[in-house]
Amino acid sequence: MAVRAVRGAVQLERDDAEHMQEQVGELLTAILERNGLLADDLISVWFTATPDLHSDFPAAAARALGITDVPLICAQELDVDGAMERVVRVLAHVETELSKTGIAHVYLGAAGALRKDIAQ
């Protein structure tokens, strides 16, 4: 079993805790499903949020999905002029049989523009 990193992101429509939980939950679910993973395959998950998001911690969405025994951490994304607003990014470390090229990185909605080279 290999350790792999899976990337993902979603752009929120607004800074609202319920909306964040819904959208980040959808992103995490898509990451797991598209890679054939279970929550038990997660080693750790890093979340970053752009500086314009203040309503909640993105990791709260993982806890709401029942991901309770995995180390999670939240950080603020760099405040770069011209960067996409209201974005939550995910970097999940997982145990999987997938090769590096077999990993499905998930960028939902407008966030797909962030990494057209790897978004699936």
Side-chain angles (χ1 to χ4, degrees):
M1 188 90 48
V3 174
R4 302 282 184 228
V6 185
R7 288 291 318 269
V10 63
Q11 184 183 39
L12 305 184
E13 295 174 16
R14 60 192 175 281
D15 184 21
D16 172 80
E18 185 176 318
H19 180 62
M20 180 181 291
Q21 184 169 326
E22 174 187 298
Q23 293 297 299
V24 174
E26 183 179 327
L27 175 61
L28 290 171
T29 299
I31 287 171
L32 293 172
E33 288 177 354
R34 293 184 193 180
N35 288 287
L37 299 168
L38 302 172
D40 196 46
D41 298 322
L42 295 169
I43 297 169
S44 64
V45 184
W46 284 78
F47 296 90
T48 64
T50 51
D52 51 2
L53 294 174
H54 308 280
S55 62
D56 202 358
F57 295 99
R63 298 294 185 224
L65 288 176
I67 300 172
T68 57
D69 61 349
V70 175
L72 308 174
I73 192 164
C74 297
Q76 188 175 72
E77 192 72 33
L78 293 174
D79 191 9
V80 176
D81 288 338
M84 187 179 286
E85 298 177 337
R86 300 177 318 280
V87 175
V88 174
R89 291 172 173 85
V90 173
L91 174 62
H93 299 98
V94 303
E95 291 181 313
T96 181
E97 297 292 340
L98 293 172
S99 67
K100 286 182 184 180
T101 59
I103 295 291
H105 303 283
V106 180
Y107 289 77
L108 300 179
L114 295 170
R115 289 297 308 263
K116 292 179 183 176
D117 58 324
I118 64 171
Q120 297 181 8

